[in-house]
Amino acid sequence: MERTSARRNAVALAAMLAATGCSGLVQRAGGSLAEGVAEAAMRHDDPELVAAALPGYLILADAAVQAAPRDGDALVRAARLYAAYAGALVRDPARRRRLSERALGYARRAACLRSGTGCTLRGEGLRAVLAGATAEDVEPLYALATAWLVWIEARREDWGARAELAEAELVLRRVAALAPDHDDGGVQLQLGVLSALVPPALGGDPEAARRHFERALRLSGGKRLMVKVLMAEHLARAVGDRRLHDRLLREVLAADPEAGRHTLENVLARRRARALLEEADRVFGDGG
């Protein structure tokens, strides 16, 4: 009970500080306070509470960037927070597009910091940035890939936006080359989804997708339930494997969502698993 109250207080504290306008607090929020609030949010088991509290912290993240516009860590934190909020907790399409635009803007600024002026994250400019990337660039590049994918997803009906998927994938694959185990397997999870997007009949590689998903599961020690959910949704459905689909989702529903910094993600994963199971007959046909 005490730990749950502490998490709620940390999120509420961030919202309160966002409204104070105190520059000293804003600058300190770029460090340990910001990280502590983000950690508390990830460990929370009530998505609605987090969704209600995080907008105040979004403003705090904006203020931290304004106070230090060339602080790479502040830019990465802002990009990650906006991308996570837009991708997981916002359902209104217009808001998702708007918030994902801000996430991508912050991520691009962070990725360009070490490249100096004239940084272009498109075409040959992007390839040049990626070719020169080192282990020090993993965090900003991962923030860029994640924000870019959320940005594309928020514009799924826009073919122009979808055409940028290939470049977002280039960034993600460069991160995987530099740090294949990054983010408790998160980079492998995203590669699994991307590898499963193209149907096998059109040249997709479901076995590559399976390898990425299984590696993500191993790297997270089985604690990230979203791995199984996305494996069911994107791989099992793509290859028409109803047995794999239902087994993965039932395992998610039977699992304890409490898993440290993956708790919030797991609660959302269980909700998604329930919804996917409910529509399985329609997707696969009553005969399975």
Side-chain angles (χ1 to χ4, degrees), residues 15-169:
M16 179 186 71
L17 290 177
T20 64
C22 176
S23 60
L25 288 174
V26 164
Q27 289 170 353
R28 288 197 296 275
S32 60
L33 175 62
E35 293 165 2
V37 171
E39 184 75 13
M42 290 187 295
R43 291 173 175 271
H44 213 286
D45 60 2
D46 188 332
E48 284 70 32
L49 178 65
V50 173
L54 280 182
Y57 180 52
L58 292 172
I59 302 301
L60 185 63
D62 290 333
V65 171
Q66 290 172 18
R70 293 189 60 80
D71 183 336
D73 290 340
L75 286 165
V76 166
R77 279 192 292 269
R80 282 180 170 175
L81 182 64
Y82 268 99
Y85 184 73
L89 298 173
V90 175
R91 288 293 166 261
D92 178 72
R95 287 192 71 221
R96 290 189 75 199
R97 289 192 294 271
R98 188 167 61 251
L99 294 171
S100 65
E101 182 76 33
R102 185 173 288 259
L104 184 56
Y106 283 141
R108 284 173 171 158
R109 287 169 60 183
C112 279
L113 276 179
R114 276 167 42 89
S115 299
T117 58
C119 173
T120 302
L121 296 175
R122 296 291 177 86
E124 291 306 314
L126 175 63
R127 287 170 175 78
V129 169
L130 296 180
T134 68
E136 294 181 17
D137 299 302
V138 166
E139 290 290 350
L141 288 180
Y142 189 56
L144 174 62
T146 302
W148 209 341
L149 292 173
V150 171
W151 183 90
I152 293 168
E153 172 62 21
R155 294 159 178 76
R156 66 177 72 181
E157 305 303 326
D158 181 344
W159 284 97
R162 292 173 67 178
E164 297 187 24
L165 184 62
E167 291 192 319
E169 184 174 354

Side-chain angles (χ1 to χ4, degrees), residues 49-279:
L49 178 65
V50 173
L54 280 182
Y57 180 52
L58 292 172
I59 302 301
L60 185 63
D62 290 333
V65 171
Q66 290 172 18
R70 293 189 60 80
D71 183 336
D73 290 340
L75 286 165
V76 166
R77 279 192 292 269
R80 282 180 170 175
L81 182 64
Y82 268 99
Y85 184 73
L89 298 173
V90 175
R91 288 293 166 261
D92 178 72
R95 287 192 71 221
R96 290 189 75 199
R97 289 192 294 271
R98 188 167 61 251
L99 294 171
S100 65
E101 182 76 33
R102 185 173 288 259
L104 184 56
Y106 283 141
R108 284 173 171 158
R109 287 169 60 183
C112 279
L113 276 179
R114 276 167 42 89
S115 299
T117 58
C119 173
T120 302
L121 296 175
R122 296 291 177 86
E124 291 306 314
L126 175 63
R127 287 170 175 78
V129 169
L130 296 180
T134 68
E136 294 181 17
D137 299 302
V138 166
E139 290 290 350
L141 288 180
Y142 189 56
L144 174 62
T146 302
W148 209 341
L149 292 173
V150 171
W151 183 90
I152 293 168
E153 172 62 21
R155 294 159 178 76
R156 66 177 72 181
E157 305 303 326
D158 181 344
W159 284 97
R162 292 173 67 178
E164 297 187 24
L165 184 62
E167 291 192 319
E169 184 174 354
L170 279 180
V171 179
L172 192 61
R173 292 196 179 279
R174 182 56 176 154
V175 172
L178 291 168
D181 301 348
H182 191 62
D183 187 29
D184 290 344
V187 65
Q188 298 297 330
L189 173 58
Q190 294 194 51
L191 284 173
V193 172
L194 288 175
S195 298
L197 284 179
V198 180
L202 297 179
D205 189 348
E207 285 309 308
R210 186 186 300 271
R211 289 194 295 272
H212 286 303
F213 282 125
E214 290 177 346
R215 185 169 186 178
L217 200 59
R218 288 196 302 273
L219 289 171
S220 71
K223 294 179 179 179
R224 299 188 75 166
L225 302 182
M226 192 64 80
V227 177
K228 292 184 177 181
V229 171
L230 295 179
M231 186 176 182
E233 182 174 7
H234 295 282
L235 176 61
R237 288 191 174 192
V239 299
D241 191 336
R242 173 73 184 267
R243 181 174 298 178
L244 174 64
H245 177 273
D246 289 3
R247 176 178 64 79
L248 289 170
L249 297 177
R250 289 187 179 118
E251 287 175 358
V252 169
L253 293 177
D256 182 358
E258 183 72 31
R261 66 193 306 271
H262 299 305
T263 298
L264 180 64
E265 177 184 302
N266 287 348
V267 172
L268 294 170
R270 283 164 56 87
R271 292 184 182 183
R272 183 63 180 154
R274 195 170 291 109
L276 292 174
L277 275 175
E278 289 174 356
E279 65 183 28

Side-chain angles (χ1 to χ4, degrees), residues 242 281 284-288:
R242 173 73 184 267
D281 285 343
F284 289 97
D286 291 339

